Amino acid sequence: MSALSIFFVIFQVLAAVGVVWAMLNEEIFIQMENHLFDRIVAFFKNRRHPEPKQPTVKKVNAVISSDDDEFARFAPFVA
């Protein structure tokens, strides 16, 4: 066997041992993951968000003269 193939075999054995160790010590990785998420949330929570500009809307006053009271009640909703 060449040196490269020996390296790959050793790497695969170490990876398998690492996966088994991670499965047996799952609580450590859960704590690490929670700590990482807490740091990410804290980073984005502390960032200042600029206030969005309010859009300028021109008000148009529509005057409709009608004797129909029902139409006059709903006239603001009809453009």
Side-chain angles (χ1 to χ4, degrees):
M1 287 185 9
S2 67
L4 187 60
S5 61
I6 292 173
F7 171 75
F8 283 135
V9 168
I10 292 173
F11 178 75
Q12 288 178 347
V13 169
L14 290 177
V17 169
V19 168
V20 170
W21 180 78
M23 289 172 61
L24 294 175
N25 296 310
E26 184 180 1
E27 186 64 31
I28 294 171
F29 291 98
I30 291 174
Q31 290 174 357
M32 287 172 42
E33 183 180 26
N34 289 340
H35 180 68
L36 180 65
F37 285 147
D38 288 342
R39 290 184 65 183
I40 291 171
V41 168
F43 173 76
F44 285 107
K45 200 177 214 182
N46 291 334
R47 286 179 54 190
R48 301 186 96 202
H49 298 290
E51 292 291 326
K53 293 182 179 178
Q54 296 293 334
T56 56
V57 178
K58 293 183 179 179
K59 289 188 176 183
V60 177
N61 294 330
V63 178
I64 300 173
S65 61
S66 174
D67 293 334
D68 188 9
D69 290 337
E70 186 172 339
F71 181 76
R73 285 191 305 146
F74 294 106
F77 302 108
V78 177

